[in-house]
Amino acid sequence: MRDIGVGLIGTGFMGKAHALAFRAARAVLGDVPTARLEILCDTPAERAEQMAAQFGFARATDDWRALVSDPAVEIVSITTPNRMHCEMALAAIEAGKHVYCEKPMGLTLDEARSMAEAAGRAGVKTMVGYNYIKNPAFEHARELIARDAIGTPVHFRGFVDEDYQADPELAWTWRARIDEAGLGALGDLGCHLVSMAYGLMGPVESLIADMQTIHETRPIPDGSGRGTVENEDVASALVRFANGAQGVLSTSRSAWGRKNRLGFEVHGTKGMIAFEQERMNELQLYQNEGPVAEQGFRTILTGPAHGAYAAFCPAPGHQLGFNELKVLEAGAFLREIAGGEKVGPDFADALEFEKVIHAIAASAREGRRVTVQG
Amino acid sequence: MRDIGVGLIGTGFMGKAHALAFRAARAVLGDVPTARLEILCDTPAERAEQMAAQFGFARATDDWRALVSDPAVEIVSITTPNRMHCEMALAAIEAGKHVYCEKPMGLTLDEARSMAEAAGRAGVKTMVGYNYIKNPAFEHARELIARDAIGTPVHFRGFVDEDYQADPELAWTWRARIDEAGLGALGDLGCHLVSMAYGLMGPVESLIADMQTIHETRPIPDGSGRGTVENEDVASALVRFANGAQGVLSTSRSAWGRKNRLGFEVHGTKGMIAFEQERMNELQLYQNEGPVAEQGFRTILTGPAHGAYAAFCPAPGHQLGFNELKVLEAGAFLREIAGGEKVGPDFADALEFEKVIHAIAASAREGRRVTVQG
Amino acid sequence: MRDIGVGLIGTGFMGKAHALAFRAARAVLGDVPTARLEILCDTPAERAEQMAAQFGFARATDDWRALVSDPAVEIVSITTPNRMHCEMALAAIEAGKHVYCEKPMGLTLDEARSMAEAAGRAGVKTMVGYNYIKNPAFEHARELIARDAIGTPVHFRGFVDEDYQADPELAWTWRARIDEAGLGALGDLGCHLVSMAYGLMGPVESLIADMQTIHETRPIPDGSGRGTVENEDVASALVRFANGAQGVLSTSRSAWGRKNRLGFEVHGTKGMIAFEQERMNELQLYQNEGPVAEQGFRTILTGPAHGAYAAFCPAPGHQLGFNELKVLEAGAFLREIAGGEKVGPDFADALEFEKVIHAIAASAREGRRVTVQG
Amino acid sequence: MRDIGVGLIGTGFMGKAHALAFRAARAVLGDVPTARLEILCDTPAERAEQMAAQFGFARATDDWRALVSDPAVEIVSITTPNRMHCEMALAAIEAGKHVYCEKPMGLTLDEARSMAEAAGRAGVKTMVGYNYIKNPAFEHARELIARDAIGTPVHFRGFVDEDYQADPELAWTWRARIDEAGLGALGDLGCHLVSMAYGLMGPVESLIADMQTIHETRPIPDGSGRGTVENEDVASALVRFANGAQGVLSTSRSAWGRKNRLGFEVHGTKGMIAFEQERMNELQLYQNEGPVAEQGFRTILTGPAHGAYAAFCPAPGHQLGFNELKVLEAGAFLREIAGGEKVGPDFADALEFEKVIHAIAASAREGRRVTVQG
């Protein structure tokens, strides 16, 4: 298999995760092309140089347009703040590059739509960084449902909470601005939940929702007073899936104690599956089978019997970590580019998730049931 | 303290729970009157006789009206199927008795309203069997909030799930009929959740909701075909509390694996409290205090430091059971009748809970935001 | 069924537990005689009077010998401090009474032996208050093993920890004295673990052990200095069961955070059962059955499918409490006295448990393997 | 910082873990030298070639002696079966290489001693692969103890269980032979527990122990009958630490359901710390501080506040995985070789762990207290 050249924009939380994932993918998975780390972009240039040396990129730049147009780059990874995703992705697509973009795709549904359309027209491959749905535990949940292990899914519950905006006196930042961050908890966290709900239950048809900015102002760091928080801290929705089931989604970025509490329950006619990301190596399974006196939720520790786990470790219960979900994601993208099947979520898939979170926001603002556009 | 005569109608799940509670209340709590077990009513008369002997009642009857009018009876305990609550309670009130009635108060909001009004006019004491809010763990949660241990409550999540209607081929029963059971999951389970939300967050102002009958028909036991399930298996609501916070409520009676999963999270500006009834002796508390590296949810095992626990056991972590919540409820009612303060929920309080569950049903039916009537 | 007269000595933690249990047994279980609460004994007499009124005993006394010889008393319940158990039990047996005694039976193995012998000679029924082995969860664990659900038991782990002596500056009390309390953690807590190990694995043949007084002195409450702690805070043993399996037992009364942490694991050739008393309504079961990808520990919530649970509640997962284990114990004793089968543990059974804890103490003192006497 | 050349022997579970760790160390940690992947050794040569391509090694060989003597190799990583560790390590040391060896060091205490002595004489750096003690959760436990957060450690409990030898009909392999595998559960699992106990409590002074081969024979794969299992399935010890505290250690490789259950409790005079590897991102902390009614075990999710976690992820609760512990280990070794402080465990440290597991085996065989040699 030939190598594939990667250009990475951003060296923060997600930038590092992409770098580590590309470094590891071939070594872990075996059956994917080697990612050739070509160019790393950040500003200032010194930061880019320093992190390129650390991450093992051949070159560094502070000019993302140079990166995008570099002939050695086949994949452009975009891990910059949300407001830059769209412009960078469109430029990369126009340069004929495959694009690996962090979620949310853009600030608005229009941005997301334009990105999906451009990718479709250009015929490039795309991947959006939804991480958690690459978890072997999650894949096993999907497989259990497909195998009828819990019967027909009839109800869904999902939550995703963190506490990074729980402190009322935390400083005002760009995260609070709609023109910088777009949606609040929905864009940052809720989209993950939607990606899971979609994978487990299929598309959402319509919903009613409510949302709230809990902390309406925050102190501006320069001491100049308090800035307005323009986007939501919490949002919740009652959804109707196309499969006929109802469900509840709720997200908060102001939930003290929750660090990465992304969880779901799928209620089926023969059982239930439950999961919490804070214990990402465990799946809870209840099946109405066997003697009543021995029924109970089974705590399944993921192991080599579960999807891609074996590539990391041949022994069960040894635990995968967050960064390894990214390895699976990068690996899936590399494999697709080398001619393998699409795994996604690509821009078209992710647009579907975006439609749901924007429908939640619209329903909450307008106080009415919103149909998710097909 | 003088004894108080009790007449109990019903010998099923809740009938037995009342009998055990009245037998135990004085012995456990010390500072309440002895409940004199006067008359037990059930049909047929043999059943009443047999259970009166077992429970220790002095007399038995199959005529609830005779019980209600018996001069030795001061408290009438009503534990019959929902559709009989209202008639019995009104008769007991008219006879000047104090009434201890199981939830839900009646089949309809009108019934509940008539009961609350009659009790108010007659000046009798009333208690509705909401059990779980008598848990020392719950009382401690309320105390923590009152003490500002988690700051201002800004968001609420609550769930109550069981699986007694999860099996699609379970027989059709009276529970499926609106004129026998009233609401479905909402009336049976959801009202408990509302009682907790109310105790923690205060009144609900308005809400939007959705609900669904998952299993639309069930086999009629006599083999004559399938009967229609008239009430809901699941219901969910997005609520706005009078205190300004939003919340999510959801209930299912078709949730495989959940046996008594009544749980909540109160999100505050300084911390969080979480609870699950299936681990009813544990309270989860997160406080944004002390070094970040030592923060985490604390699993507090209830013990003598928590409310009424000490009356049952001087040693912490020894576990109270469901029936002991009933002892606390019966004890509170006996104490009130002997001149103590009202603890409730009395009919007026419970009417507030009923308004919420009926508002949920109305919103779900009508597809619009419903204001809970003051 | 005729009533059975009960005389209860002691009104503390266990005295109250006995009183509540006798009050409830018939009402809960149905098929046991009514316990007639005849006499309650404590000192001073006022305390006895007050608690008799609260608990519902007909008479009160401060003279335990009068209670023991009272013709209306058929069962003598002994819940006094350990050093009085033997004398009271022997007197009760001599008076021809059935005896329900709290654990440990006595201060020394000789005391326990004399009690078992006297009961045997007199032909009276006896019961020792081992509470936890009456838990439907525990009974179900035994049944699972009997049914070969986990294959042959090949290893055992057991622990019982509390923290009531964890604070180094807690006052010196009678608990620290061998002539008042006998053994320390072993006598108070370890014997419970032994009763469980015995029920699950059968008799212990030999063992090696170690033990330690962690807090060697404690402040004497009158300020006169520090008193010596004569008995052990922790004790541990490596045991060999007669069935050929090995096991580990360990107990501490100085384990901060543990309130009633009595737990075990039975390792079998086909599965494992695990249990923790602090979650006494849950049993963990792993079976090497079905697809590997779905194996895991099942959290079984006790319910009506488990032994005596149904007598308390027809709905699963509603939780029994500590006091209800006592109801089952008292009920078993009442049933036996009325002609039913022995459930035990009677004095002969409990003597076997005592032999193990004293063998642990002997091995620890002498530094050698000790064979448990047959 | 200059690069450091690595030669890796072995491409199995641990071989891959080393390869991934060396690939990632610099990129994750920043402040360590780049590991230059020089030579990978396995047999047959094709396997070595294939895995070298996958892991990113420059060259492959089937001749470990060639690898050891290659001038481009500075670190020799040994991940072969136990019986080859000693010979390879001695050869590498003689060639002046730094050695990174998987545990256990060798088959016998003599082997381990010869390895430690040789490394000491040669002045090369060594590291033994104890993985779990590199966990930020474990490091935080150590830090809490050092900071007196739980007072003086007074008791220890530790367990390490897996189920890879739980099935009685699993085939007989080299693992069952003393001359191939050395000790059984002790050598494979118990040594991890000892490394943790050592890190938390300091050295063990003496102990008494017991052990057992549960499954005495196993079917030979070629159908030629049953082979004898020569080493232990379970082993347990009661230890006395040099700090005066006692403790319990127990290990099983035949414990159904346990996948990587390496856990401990440190009981202190002011609190307790508990940990389980199967939830390796959580630390349980109880402190006797603040109101009794709010005390409880705190579930601390590891995050950037805990040691090296931040290098992997700036967000708490996102979970590290098993392979990332190896990154920390490899990183510590690279840093030391580049002139940083020793972190260890080096051969001298690991020899101390080996002394304890061999003392356990000796005590179990001889039935007497064994003093661990200084």
Side-chain angles (χ1 to χ4, degrees):
Chain A
M1 244 179 304
R2 64 181 183 77
D3 292 356
I4 294 180
V6 172
L8 168 60
I9 316 176
T11 64
F13 182 0
M14 280 300 127
K16 187 170 191 176
H18 280 235
L20 295 177
F22 279 121
R23 284 190 71 78
R26 169 82 198 281
V28 170
L29 302 169
D31 65 346
V32 303
T34 298
R36 215 178 48 245
L37 306 183
E38 284 290 342
I39 318 181
L40 181 66
C41 173
D42 206 345
T43 57
E46 293 73 36
R47 164 84 184 169
E49 293 286 353
Q50 180 196 346
M51 298 317 292
Q54 176 171 336
F55 294 165
F57 277 79
R59 291 174 283 158
T61 180
D62 60 356
D63 175 3
W64 68 264
R65 293 188 181 275
L67 180 151
V68 159
S69 59
D70 192 287
V73 167
E74 284 183 72
I75 294 174
V76 174
S77 259
I78 302 171
T79 70
T80 50
N82 303 351
R83 68 174 164 76
M84 304 159 79
H85 290 183
C86 183
E87 184 182 9
M88 288 174 171
L90 293 179
I93 292 167
E94 189 166 331
K97 310 300 190 187
H98 306 300
V99 182
Y100 183 6
C101 183
E102 275 308 301
K103 42 60 49 183
M105 289 171 75
L107 293 188
T108 63
L109 192 52
D110 281 347
E111 283 194 355
R113 211 183 303 267
S114 70
M115 291 161 74
E117 286 169 0
R121 273 193 311 269
V124 299
K125 314 283 189 199
T126 55
M127 171 71 83
V128 184
Y130 274 93
N131 322 314
Y132 305 113
I133 55 179
K134 292 296 182 292
N135 189 340
F138 182 75
E139 301 236 322
H140 195 62
R142 280 168 52 90
E143 187 188 316
L144 286 167
I145 292 169
R147 274 190 2 224
D148 198 40
I150 61 163
T152 306
V154 290
H155 195 66
F156 181 85
R157 301 262 179 74
F159 306 91
V160 53
D161 296 330
E162 297 198 8
D163 64 4
Y164 64 89
Q165 297 280 309
D167 185 343
E169 291 309 304
L170 205 74
W172 185 93
T173 68
W174 64 271
R175 287 190 176 284
R177 291 180 57 172
I178 284 181
D179 62 358
E180 293 270 332
L183 294 171
L186 278 170
D188 201 28
L189 307 178
C191 61
H192 284 299
L193 182 57
V194 169
S195 74
M196 285 192 154
Y198 199 98
L200 297 161
M201 302 292 287
V204 171
E205 226 167 50
S206 74
L207 54 84
I208 49 177
D210 211 356
M211 67 184 185
Q212 189 172 27
T213 304
I214 290 173
H215 306 292
E216 297 180 349
T217 63
R218 293 190 169 281
I220 297 177
D222 67 6
S224 67
R226 299 185 70 89
T228 299
V229 176
E230 298 170 0
N231 48 25
E232 77 288 352
D233 289 317
V234 292
S236 306
L238 308 180
V239 305
R240 292 183 184 168
F241 293 97
N243 71 4
Q246 296 189 357
V248 178
L249 310 181
S250 190
T251 182
S252 172
R253 62 184 184 186
S254 299
W256 273 121
R258 303 310 190 192
K259 304 305 176 185
N260 192 15
R261 186 81 159 192
L262 169 61
F264 63 79
E265 292 176 1
V266 179
H267 301 209
T269 51
K270 301 196 301 193
M272 188 187 292
I273 300 173
F275 171 83
E276 295 275 8
Q277 175 65 24
E278 286 178 355
R279 288 178 174 164
M280 63 171 264
N281 289 280
E282 300 180 12
L283 198 63
Q284 300 287 326
L285 173 65
Y286 185 99
Q287 292 177 291
N288 176 33
E289 284 180 7
V292 168
E294 272 86 78
Q295 289 187 6
F297 276 92
R298 229 174 291 157
T299 302
I300 302 171
L301 289 177
T302 45
H306 304 100
Y309 179 102
F312 295 93
C313 180
H318 277 56
Q319 318 285 308
L320 302 187
F322 170 81
N323 285 319
E324 287 166 321
L325 306 180
K326 219 66 195 169
V327 173
L328 291 168
E329 195 172 76
F333 197 40
L334 290 166
R335 202 183 281 120
E336 181 188 355
I337 291 170
E341 282 191 17
K342 189 198 96 168
V343 174
D346 65 8
F347 282 6
D349 301 326
L351 176 61
E352 298 306 306
F353 310 156
E354 299 273 339
K355 285 176 184 172
V356 177
I357 62 169
H358 286 282
I360 292 173
S363 173
R365 276 191 306 264
E366 300 165 21
R368 61 172 184 87
R369 177 169 294 277
V370 167
T371 300
V372 180
Q373 309 154 23
Chain B
M1 247 180 299
R2 63 182 183 76
D3 292 356
I4 294 179
V6 172
L8 168 60
I9 314 177
T11 64
F13 182 1
M14 279 301 126
K16 188 170 190 174
H18 279 235
L20 295 177
F22 279 122
R23 284 191 71 78
R26 169 80 197 283
V28 170
L29 302 169
D31 66 346
V32 303
T34 297
R36 213 176 50 244
L37 305 183
E38 283 291 341
I39 317 183
L40 180 66
C41 174
D42 206 344
T43 57
E46 294 73 36
R47 164 84 184 170
E49 292 286 352
Q50 182 196 346
M51 298 317 292
Q54 176 171 335
F55 294 164
F57 277 80
R59 291 175 283 158
T61 181
D62 60 358
D63 176 2
W64 68 264
R65 294 190 181 275
L67 180 150
V68 159
S69 60
D70 192 286
V73 168
E74 283 183 74
I75 294 174
V76 174
S77 259
I78 302 171
T79 70
T80 51
N82 303 351
R83 69 174 164 77
M84 304 160 78
H85 290 182
C86 183
E87 184 182 9
M88 288 173 169
L90 293 179
I93 292 167
E94 189 165 332
K97 310 301 190 189
H98 306 299
V99 182
Y100 181 8
C101 183
E102 275 308 302
K103 43 58 51 184
M105 290 172 75
L107 295 187
T108 63
L109 192 53
D110 281 347
E111 283 193 357
R113 210 183 304 268
S114 70
M115 291 162 73
E117 286 169 1
R121 274 194 309 269
V124 299
K125 315 282 189 198
T126 55
M127 171 72 82
V128 185
Y130 275 92
N131 321 315
Y132 305 113
I133 54 179
K134 293 295 183 292
N135 187 340
F138 183 74
E139 302 236 323
H140 195 62
R142 281 168 51 90
E143 187 188 315
L144 286 167
I145 293 169
R147 273 192 0 225
D148 197 40
I150 60 163
T152 306
V154 290
H155 195 65
F156 181 85
R157 299 263 179 76
F159 307 90
V160 55
D161 296 332
E162 298 198 6
D163 64 4
Y164 64 90
Q165 298 281 306
D167 185 343
E169 291 311 303
L170 204 75
W172 185 92
T173 68
W174 65 270
R175 286 191 175 285
R177 292 180 56 172
I178 285 181
D179 62 359
E180 292 270 331
L183 294 170
L186 278 170
D188 202 28
L189 307 178
C191 62
H192 284 299
L193 182 57
V194 169
S195 74
M196 285 192 155
Y198 199 98
L200 297 161
M201 301 292 286
V204 171
E205 224 168 49
S206 73
L207 54 85
I208 50 178
D210 211 355
M211 67 184 184
Q212 189 174 28
T213 304
I214 290 174
H215 306 293
E216 297 181 348
T217 65
R218 292 189 169 279
I220 297 176
D222 67 6
S224 66
R226 298 184 71 89
T228 300
V229 177
E230 300 170 0
N231 48 26
E232 78 288 353
D233 289 317
V234 292
S236 306
L238 308 180
V239 305
R240 293 184 184 168
F241 294 97
N243 71 3
Q246 296 189 358
V248 178
L249 310 181
S250 190
T251 181
S252 172
R253 63 184 183 186
S254 298
W256 273 120
R258 304 309 191 192
K259 305 306 176 184
N260 192 14
R261 186 82 157 192
L262 170 60
F264 63 79
E265 292 175 2
V266 179
H267 301 208
T269 50
K270 302 195 302 193
M272 188 187 292
I273 299 173
F275 172 84
E276 296 274 9
Q277 176 65 23
E278 287 178 356
R279 289 180 173 164
M280 63 172 263
N281 289 280
E282 300 179 12
L283 199 62
Q284 300 287 328
L285 173 64
Y286 185 98
Q287 292 178 291
N288 176 33
E289 284 180 7
V292 168
E294 272 87 76
Q295 290 187 6
F297 275 91
R298 230 174 290 158
T299 301
I300 302 170
L301 289 176
T302 45
H306 305 101
Y309 179 103
F312 294 92
C313 180
H318 276 55
Q319 316 286 306
L320 302 187
F322 170 80
N323 285 319
E324 288 166 320
L325 305 181
K326 220 66 195 170
V327 172
L328 290 169
E329 194 171 78
F333 197 39
L334 290 166
R335 203 182 281 120
E336 180 188 354
I337 290 171
E341 281 191 16
K342 188 198 96 167
V343 173
D346 66 7
F347 281 7
D349 301 327
L351 177 59
E352 298 306 306
F353 309 157
E354 299 273 340
K355 284 177 185 171
V356 176
I357 63 169
H358 286 282
I360 292 172
S363 172
R365 274 191 308 265
E366 299 165 21
R368 60 171 185 88
R369 176 168 294 278
V370 167
T371 300
V372 180
Q373 308 154 23
Chain C
M1 247 179 301
R2 64 181 182 77
D3 292 358
I4 294 180
V6 172
L8 168 60
I9 316 177
T11 64
F13 183 178
M14 279 301 126
K16 188 169 190 176
H18 279 234
L20 295 176
F22 279 121
R23 285 191 70 79
R26 170 81 197 282
V28 170
L29 301 169
D31 66 346
V32 303
T34 297
R36 216 177 48 245
L37 305 183
E38 283 290 340
I39 318 182
L40 181 66
C41 173
D42 206 344
T43 56
E46 293 74 35
R47 165 82 183 171
E49 292 286 353
Q50 182 196 344
M51 298 317 291
Q54 177 170 336
F55 294 165
F57 277 80
R59 290 173 285 158
T61 180
D62 60 357
D63 175 3
W64 67 265
R65 293 188 182 275
L67 179 150
V68 159
S69 60
D70 192 287
V73 168
E74 282 183 74
I75 293 173
V76 173
S77 258
I78 302 172
T79 70
T80 50
N82 303 352
R83 69 175 164 76
M84 304 160 77
H85 290 183
C86 182
E87 183 182 11
M88 288 174 170
L90 292 179
I93 291 167
E94 190 167 329
K97 310 302 191 189
H98 306 301
V99 182
Y100 182 7
C101 183
E102 274 308 303
K103 44 58 49 181
M105 291 171 73
L107 294 188
T108 64
L109 191 52
D110 282 347
E111 284 194 355
R113 210 183 304 268
S114 70
M115 292 161 72
E117 285 169 1
R121 274 195 309 270
V124 299
K125 314 283 190 198
T126 55
M127 172 70 84
V128 185
Y130 275 93
N131 322 315
Y132 305 113
I133 55 180
K134 293 296 182 292
N135 188 339
F138 183 74
E139 302 236 322
H140 194 63
R142 281 168 52 90
E143 188 188 317
L144 286 168
I145 293 169
R147 272 190 4 223
D148 198 41
I150 59 163
T152 306
V154 290
H155 195 65
F156 181 85
R157 300 262 179 76
F159 305 90
V160 53
D161 296 331
E162 296 198 6
D163 65 2
Y164 64 90
Q165 298 280 308
D167 185 343
E169 292 310 304
L170 205 73
W172 186 93
T173 67
W174 64 271
R175 286 190 175 283
R177 290 181 57 174
I178 285 180
D179 63 358
E180 293 270 332
L183 295 170
L186 279 169
D188 201 29
L189 307 178
C191 61
H192 283 298
L193 181 57
V194 168
S195 74
M196 286 192 154
Y198 199 99
L200 297 161
M201 301 292 286
V204 171
E205 227 167 48
S206 73
L207 55 84
I208 49 177
D210 211 357
M211 66 184 187
Q212 188 173 29
T213 304
I214 290 173
H215 306 294
E216 298 181 346
T217 64
R218 292 189 169 281
I220 297 177
D222 67 6
S224 66
R226 298 184 73 89
T228 300
V229 177
E230 298 169 1
N231 47 26
E232 79 287 353
D233 289 317
V234 293
S236 305
L238 308 181
V239 304
R240 293 184 184 168
F241 293 97
N243 71 3
Q246 297 188 358
V248 177
L249 309 180
S250 189
T251 181
S252 172
R253 64 184 183 186
S254 298
W256 273 120
R258 303 310 190 192
K259 304 305 177 186
N260 192 15
R261 186 81 160 194
L262 170 60
F264 63 79
E265 292 175 2
V266 179
H267 301 208
T269 51
K270 301 196 300 191
M272 189 187 290
I273 300 173
F275 172 83
E276 296 273 9
Q277 175 65 24
E278 287 178 355
R279 288 178 174 165
M280 62 173 265
N281 290 280
E282 300 181 12
L283 199 63
Q284 299 287 327
L285 173 65
Y286 185 98
Q287 292 177 291
N288 176 33
E289 283 179 8
V292 168
E294 272 86 78
Q295 289 187 7
F297 276 91
R298 230 173 290 156
T299 301
I300 302 171
L301 289 177
T302 45
H306 304 100
Y309 180 102
F312 294 93
C313 181
H318 277 55
Q319 318 284 309
L320 303 188
F322 171 81
N323 285 319
E324 288 166 321
L325 305 181
K326 219 67 195 169
V327 173
L328 290 169
E329 194 171 76
F333 197 39
L334 290 165
R335 202 183 281 121
E336 181 188 355
I337 291 171
E341 281 191 17
K342 188 198 98 168
V343 174
D346 65 7
F347 281 7
D349 300 328
L351 177 59
E352 299 306 307
F353 308 157
E354 298 273 339
K355 284 175 184 172
V356 176
I357 62 169
H358 286 282
I360 292 173
S363 173
R365 275 191 307 264
E366 300 165 20
R368 60 174 184 86
R369 177 169 295 275
V370 167
T371 300
V372 179
Q373 307 154 25
Chain D
M1 247 180 298
R2 64 183 181 77
D3 292 357
I4 294 180
V6 172
L8 167 60
I9 316 176
T11 64
F13 182 178
M14 279 301 127
K16 188 170 190 174
H18 280 235
L20 296 177
F22 279 121
R23 284 191 72 78
R26 169 82 198 282
V28 170
L29 301 169
D31 66 347
V32 303
T34 298
R36 213 177 50 245
L37 305 183
E38 283 290 342
I39 317 183
L40 181 65
C41 173
D42 206 343
T43 58
E46 294 72 37
R47 164 84 183 171
E49 293 288 352
Q50 182 195 347
M51 299 316 292
Q54 177 170 334
F55 294 165
F57 277 79
R59 290 175 284 157
T61 180
D62 60 357
D63 175 3
W64 68 263
R65 292 189 183 277
L67 179 150
V68 159
S69 60
D70 192 285
V73 168
E74 282 182 72
I75 294 174
V76 174
S77 259
I78 303 171
T79 70
T80 51
N82 302 351
R83 68 174 164 78
M84 303 160 79
H85 290 183
C86 183
E87 185 183 7
M88 289 174 170
L90 293 179
I93 291 168
E94 191 167 328
K97 310 301 191 190
H98 306 298
V99 183
Y100 181 7
C101 184
E102 273 309 300
K103 45 56 53 184
M105 290 171 74
L107 294 189
T108 64
L109 192 52
D110 281 348
E111 284 193 356
R113 210 183 304 268
S114 69
M115 291 161 74
E117 285 169 3
R121 273 195 310 270
V124 299
K125 314 284 189 197
T126 55
M127 171 71 83
V128 184
Y130 275 93
N131 322 315
Y132 306 113
I133 54 179
K134 293 295 181 293
N135 189 339
F138 182 75
E139 302 236 322
H140 195 63
R142 281 167 52 89
E143 186 187 316
L144 286 168
I145 292 169
R147 274 195 356 227
D148 198 41
I150 60 162
T152 306
V154 290
H155 194 66
F156 181 83
R157 299 262 179 75
F159 307 90
V160 54
D161 296 331
E162 297 197 7
D163 64 4
Y164 64 90
Q165 297 281 306
D167 185 343
E169 292 310 303
L170 203 74
W172 185 92
T173 67
W174 65 272
R175 287 192 175 283
R177 292 180 56 174
I178 284 181
D179 62 358
E180 292 270 333
L183 295 170
L186 279 170
D188 202 29
L189 307 178
C191 61
H192 284 299
L193 182 57
V194 169
S195 75
M196 285 191 154
Y198 199 99
L200 297 162
M201 302 291 287
V204 172
E205 225 167 49
S206 73
L207 54 85
I208 49 177
D210 212 356
M211 67 183 185
Q212 188 173 28
T213 304
I214 289 174
H215 306 294
E216 298 182 347
T217 64
R218 292 189 170 281
I220 297 177
D222 66 8
S224 66
R226 298 185 71 89
T228 300
V229 177
E230 298 170 0
N231 48 27
E232 78 288 353
D233 288 319
V234 292
S236 304
L238 308 180
V239 304
R240 293 184 184 166
F241 293 97
N243 71 3
Q246 297 189 357
V248 178
L249 310 181
S250 190
T251 182
S252 172
R253 63 185 184 186
S254 299
W256 273 121
R258 302 310 191 191
K259 305 306 177 186
N260 193 15
R261 186 80 157 195
L262 169 60
F264 63 78
E265 292 176 0
V266 179
H267 301 209
T269 51
K270 302 195 301 193
M272 189 186 291
I273 299 173
F275 172 83
E276 296 273 10
Q277 175 67 22
E278 287 178 356
R279 289 180 173 163
M280 63 172 264
N281 290 280
E282 300 180 11
L283 199 63
Q284 300 287 327
L285 172 65
Y286 185 98
Q287 292 177 291
N288 176 33
E289 284 179 8
V292 168
E294 272 86 78
Q295 290 187 6
F297 276 90
R298 230 173 290 158
T299 301
I300 302 171
L301 290 176
T302 45
H306 304 101
Y309 179 102
F312 295 92
C313 181
H318 277 55
Q319 318 284 308
L320 302 188
F322 170 80
N323 285 319
E324 287 166 322
L325 305 181
K326 220 65 195 168
V327 173
L328 291 168
E329 195 172 75
F333 197 39
L334 290 166
R335 202 183 281 119
E336 180 189 354
I337 290 170
E341 281 191 18
K342 189 198 94 166
V343 172
D346 66 8
F347 281 6
D349 300 328
L351 176 60
E352 298 306 306
F353 309 158
E354 298 274 339
K355 285 177 183 172
V356 176
I357 63 169
H358 286 281
I360 291 172
S363 173
R365 275 192 306 265
E366 300 165 19
R368 62 174 184 86
R369 176 168 295 276
V370 167
T371 300
V372 180
Q373 307 154 25

